[in-house]
Amino acid sequence: MATLVSPEIRQASAVTSDKSSSATAQVVAAAGDALLPVYRRAPFEIVRGAGVELFDADGRAYLDFTSGIAVNALGYGDPGLTAALHAAADGLIHVSNLFRTAPGEELAARLVELSFADSVFFCNSGAEANEGAFKVARRWGRARGGTAKHGIVALRGAFHGRLSATLAATDRPQYRLPFRPLAGGISIHERDITELSAVLDAETTAAVILEPVQGEGGVRVLDAGFLHELRALTRERDILLIYDEIQCGLGRTGTVFAYEHSGVEPDILTLAKPLAGGLPMGAILMTAEAASTMQPGDHGSTFGGGPFVASVANHVVGRLSDPSLLAHVTREGEWLGEQLMGMAERTGKLRAVRGLGFIWGVDVHEKAGNVVGRARDAGLLLVSAGDYTVRLLPPLVATRAELARGLELLEAALA
Ligand SMILES: *Cc1c(COP(=O)(O)O)cnc(C)c1O
């Protein structure tokens, strides 16, 4: 598709290059008409990336503080990732999960080594990982307490994906309501231990799912004390705890897993976004206890954990668990937070600053989309997290100078 469309766009851009840039934008929009219009796309075509920058078809550079929504942790054109992709392309691409292949086994062993988990299931996206986690929890719940023990509890502000069960666990009515009926037995409650204590029931609840750092819901770092209390409650009532670390996991907060900050371990944890360096991949990590009822035939995926994607993910996970990268994210993330707090005081234009590592959210006094739009015009790519929160997700390799440039552009866009 890209090869069919792009030459037309470039030709059209060349023809209109002496006219207004909005003429070019219209041509690009027209060329995208065959795509289902479910995204509000920026009106330019990205053709290239290098380091922490993206370039559009007119050669304009943009500092990318979205990282493909927390996917491109290593930035663009990383030589190690490129080499891993080439090496993987020389090997097997796919053989199906009917047969053993080494890269997926190695990747699972690596993730087990790095985490609380004993076993891993691979799939192709974040929503798929969470849906699989719900299946694991429900299979376990049923074995443990009978058919009634299938309830899944999610939290206010949660985002867990766009499929039928994950959407039911996502706290955005406008995403959810047009698609009812969604998967049943899933409810959303306040991030409050008293309310959860009234809701979590040993007989009917299989699992609680939460993001240790909520992403789409406005970048909220869940309180360590709350997580400790919730862990105690779920243990007491024989309920599994699922962490969705699809956005906040794999180095983004300065530790391999975000749960390391509180030290409160889950029974199941899901990964996706940065896992395979931009190739689609998800993973469900679980304890032996959580996995104990899953049998051959209980779950599966045609593509999940194939040799090509798993080879690349082995490289990426190695890089994202490297202590020097994690130390960089911790140190520069602290600096980034201090700068944002300073900006809040100096300008009076940020109502709140939340985050850690390389995931930050700032609440603004106007629609976040306005700030995102002005930043983009000035050459900085940002993404919102709810109506009034602007989110910063720089590639984990961004240097202090690059972060400082982004902050300058952000401050100008607040004006
Ligand atoms: C992006 C995201 C998902 C969904 O991942 P997809 O790959 O888009 O299905 C789920 N949970 C969290 C926390 C996310 O950030």
Side-chain angles (χ1 to χ4, degrees), residues 23-34:
T24 311
Q26 274 168 19
V27 174
V28 175
D33 276 355

Side-chain angles (χ1 to χ4, degrees), residues 5-371:
V5 171
S6 296
E8 288 169 23
I9 295 169
R10 296 223 178 75
Q11 247 177 15
S13 313
V15 170
T16 57
S17 62
D18 56 345
K19 295 182 192 148
S20 73
S21 63
S22 73
T24 311
Q26 274 168 19
V27 174
V28 175
D33 276 355
L35 286 170
L36 188 69
V38 290
Y39 302 107
R40 264 179 232 97
R41 288 183 199 268
F44 50 81
E45 186 203 12
I46 303 283
V47 294
R48 190 168 72 80
V52 299
E53 285 186 322
L54 287 170
F55 297 86
D56 72 12
D58 297 328
R60 259 205 93 191
Y62 299 86
L63 189 60
D64 180 19
F65 276 23
T66 70
S67 302
I69 315 191
V71 169
N72 303 310
L74 299 173
Y76 300 95
D78 176 84
L81 177 57
T82 303
L85 281 158
H86 283 292
D90 286 336
L92 286 166
I93 304 302
H94 172 83
V95 292
S96 107
N97 284 305
L98 296 172
F99 309 101
R100 290 181 53 197
T101 50
E105 293 182 3
E106 190 191 320
L107 180 62
R110 198 186 273 268
L111 291 168
V112 162
E113 172 83 12
L114 287 167
S115 74
F116 71 97
D118 300 304
S119 66
V120 182
F121 177 86
F122 293 116
C123 54
N124 312 288
S125 70
E128 235 189 296
N130 286 336
E131 299 254 341
F134 293 174
K135 283 182 65 179
V136 171
R138 283 182 162 171
R139 186 88 165 90
W140 176 88
R142 192 169 294 247
R144 203 78 179 182
T147 51
K149 192 171 172 66
H150 65 255
I152 309 274
V153 169
L155 301 186
R156 184 70 61 220
F159 181 90
H160 296 300
R162 305 289 205 131
L163 302 180
S164 185
T166 45
L167 200 46
T170 288
D171 188 23
R172 290 273 188 105
Q174 71 272 31
Y175 289 176
R176 215 171 52 221
L177 300 181
F179 302 102
R180 288 170 295 175
L182 301 173
I186 300 170
S187 55
I188 297 172
H189 299 277
E190 297 302 327
R191 299 181 299 262
D192 173 73
I193 205 70
T194 312
E195 170 159 346
L196 290 170
S197 182
V199 166
L200 299 183
D201 175 35
E203 251 96 77
T204 59
T205 312
V208 177
I209 183 167
L210 62 86
E211 301 149 83
V213 181
Q214 292 188 332
E216 307 296 314
V219 186
R220 282 167 212 284
V221 184
L222 298 197
D223 179 61
F226 168 75
L227 292 174
H228 276 281
E229 287 180 314
L230 182 58
R231 182 70 275 194
L233 197 58
T234 52
R235 287 238 160 86
E236 178 194 305
R237 300 191 186 166
D238 206 24
I239 291 167
L240 297 179
L241 183 58
I242 306 172
Y243 286 169
D244 174 346
E245 293 214 12
I246 289 164
Q247 184 160 165
C248 63
L250 294 177
R252 176 118 330 245
T253 66
T255 50
V256 179
F257 299 100
Y259 75 78
E260 294 171 46
H261 292 280
S262 69
V264 180
E265 293 187 348
D267 303 292
I268 301 176
L269 181 147
T270 53
L271 296 173
K273 289 187 163 98
L275 179 57
L279 299 181
M281 185 179 220
I284 312 169
L285 283 59
M286 62 202 102
T287 60
E289 170 60 31
S292 61
T293 58
M294 294 298 282
Q295 303 292 326
D298 277 346
H299 197 43
S301 162
T302 299
F303 293 121
F308 178 76
V309 70
S311 298
V312 176
N314 268 307
H315 173 80
V316 173
V317 172
R319 296 280 299 282
L320 299 184
S321 56
D322 180 334
S324 66
L325 178 82
L326 297 172
H328 167 81
V329 173
T330 300
R331 188 180 58 241
E332 299 309 313
E334 270 169 29
W335 181 83
L336 183 56
E338 284 162 17
Q339 300 304 304
L340 289 168
M341 313 270 187
M343 190 185 298
E345 274 178 32
R346 193 168 58 248
T347 63
K349 291 192 172 126
L350 304 180
R351 285 188 291 118
V353 175
R354 291 180 300 271
L356 81 168
F358 276 25
I359 175 168
W360 289 88
V362 295
D363 290 353
V364 291
H365 291 284
E366 58 184 315
K367 286 274 181 172
N370 295 343
V371 177

